[in-house]
Amino acid sequence: MKLASYQDGSRDGQLVVVSRDLGSAHYATGIATRLQQVLDDWNFLSPQLEELYASLNHGKPRHAFAFDPRLCAAPLPRAYQRFSSRVGPTGIAMQQAASDDLLGPRDPIALPDAATGLGLRSEPGLAAVTGDLGADR
């Protein structure tokens, strides 16, 4: 199943289901309006989204439209937090950070001023989405 968040002027974007071939999409409004809702109630909502996804792949939904990746926001534009790892002289260090700077795949990137000596740093990333974790973890 492929899900995306379309930029719609809201803080979280609008959840869409995307076909396997990335050719078409369908708003998931009747199921959930944003990805965070789906993650919060995965067991109930994901089967409904899977059904819409299967229907979309067979060309059956009446209100399907051409998928445009330029309209995508970050999947979770307001994710709660993120962690990144750095390999340093003493080993691997984890760094916790706010995730309010997550960008969509086609969003412009504001680069720091070259005079500051800060350069653009790019690195691959991996996301792990979990359920609620207790305070003792």
Side-chain angles (χ1 to χ4, degrees), residues 15-94:
L15 181 65
V16 295
V17 177
V18 183
S19 66
R20 183 180 301 109
D21 66 0
L22 303 177
S24 61
H26 193 286
Y27 287 107
T29 310
I31 301 167
T33 57
R34 60 190 198 286
L35 183 56
Q36 187 62 56
Q37 285 176 287
V38 177
L39 296 176
D40 289 342
D41 199 3
W42 182 259
N43 291 335
F44 179 71
L45 297 175
S46 67
Q48 297 172 61
L49 292 169
E50 283 282 358
E51 187 176 315
L52 178 57
Y53 177 67
S55 179
L56 187 61
N57 287 321
H58 290 97
K60 294 185 180 177
R62 290 186 319 168
H63 301 292
F65 54 89
F67 176 64
D68 186 351
R70 294 173 295 179
L71 299 178
C72 288
L76 292 167
R78 293 189 307 137
Y80 297 112
Q81 59 188 342
R82 66 184 169 89
F83 291 90
S84 61
S85 61
R86 303 267 183 265
V87 178
T90 59
I92 298 176
M94 292 295 291

